[in-house]
């Protein structure tokens, strides 16, 4: 799938990683501003979404090229929504399964790392960014979000 054309300079590219362990818990890290977030990779203009996701997963978890389900989309922020005034973000969210041992390693990395199951995610969804991550993760766990690429744009 080719990325949609977004004119420079208001172009941002990101990969979000929704990592689920054997107990269906989503791995989260403490955000620098507030709340919790999923691992996020900012990409340069000539980098590959999937390649960077695989590089991160290999370096952080020792997972060489795990099966990933990808969601693709563009998001336009407006002045009233965010500090990212008038910025178009091309993003891909990849969902991957990791073992409980690998997720424990994640949580042991420090107090700013945690794992929450579907009920905790739903209850605390307003604490998690970016908005919509909880819906994607719980939809995937509950089976109503299909396994495979979906176009969000």
């Amino acid at each position: 799938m080719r990325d949609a054309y977004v004119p420079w300079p208001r172009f941002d590219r990101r990969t979000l990683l929704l990592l689920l362990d054997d107990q269906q818990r989503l791995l989260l890290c403490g955000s620098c501003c507030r709340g919790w977030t999923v691992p996020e990779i900012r990409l340069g203009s000539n980098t590959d979404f999937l390649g960077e996701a695989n590089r991160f997963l290999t370096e952080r978890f020792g997972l060489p090229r795990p099966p990933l389900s990808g969601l693709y989309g563009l998001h336009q922020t407006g002045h009233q929504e965010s500090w990212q005034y008038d910025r178009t973000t091309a993003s891909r969210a990849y969902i991957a399964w990791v073992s409980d041992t690998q997720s424990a390693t994640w949580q042991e990395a420090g107090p700013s790392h945690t794992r929450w199951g579907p009920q905790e995610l739903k209850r605390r969804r307003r604490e998690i960014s970016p908005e919509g991550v909880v819906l994607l993760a719980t939809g995937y766990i509950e089976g109503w979000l299909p396994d495979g690429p979906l176009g969000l744009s």
Side-chain angles (χ1 to χ4, degrees):
M1 177 178 177
R2 293 192 58 170
D3 293 326
Y5 171 75
V6 179
W8 189 88
R10 300 194 186 283
F11 181 57
D12 192 9
R13 299 173 72 233
R14 297 176 188 216
T15 295
L16 303 170
L17 297 172
L18 284 69
L19 306 173
L20 299 164
D21 69 9
D22 296 332
Q23 295 182 49
Q24 299 181 333
R25 296 175 296 189
L26 181 67
L27 281 61
L28 298 164
C29 55
S31 174
C32 63
C33 301
R34 60 180 157 77
W36 297 92
T37 187
V38 295
E40 184 175 316
I41 305 164
R42 293 193 67 171
L43 303 171
S45 60
N46 294 324
T47 54
D48 173 56
F49 286 95
L50 185 57
E52 287 300 304
N54 279 318
R55 183 190 59 74
F56 177 87
L57 291 171
T58 299
E59 289 176 6
R60 180 65 88 130
F61 294 104
L63 293 172
R65 304 183 72 72
L68 298 171
S69 297
L71 305 165
Y72 318 125
L74 291 175
H75 176 70
Q76 178 74 39
T77 58
H79 180 66
Q80 70 281 7
E81 293 179 48
S82 163
W83 62 269
Q84 297 175 318
Y85 175 67
D86 197 26
R87 178 181 296 271
T88 299
T89 302
S91 60
R92 293 198 182 181
Y94 290 103
I95 301 172
W97 290 100
V98 297
S99 71
D100 284 346
T101 302
Q102 291 160 328
S103 75
T105 300
W106 170 268
Q107 189 162 5
E108 291 166 5
S112 65
H113 293 84
T114 192
R115 305 171 287 181
W116 291 344
Q119 296 309 315
E120 183 86 0
L121 290 170
K122 289 177 184 178
R123 193 172 80 248
R124 299 179 72 176
R125 71 184 179 281
R126 289 188 172 86
E127 298 175 47
I128 302 168
S129 64
E131 188 176 335
V133 165
V134 170
L135 184 62
L136 293 175
T138 56
Y140 189 80
I141 291 167
E142 293 168 356
W144 57 264
L145 181 66
D147 183 8
L150 298 173
L152 299 179
S153 56

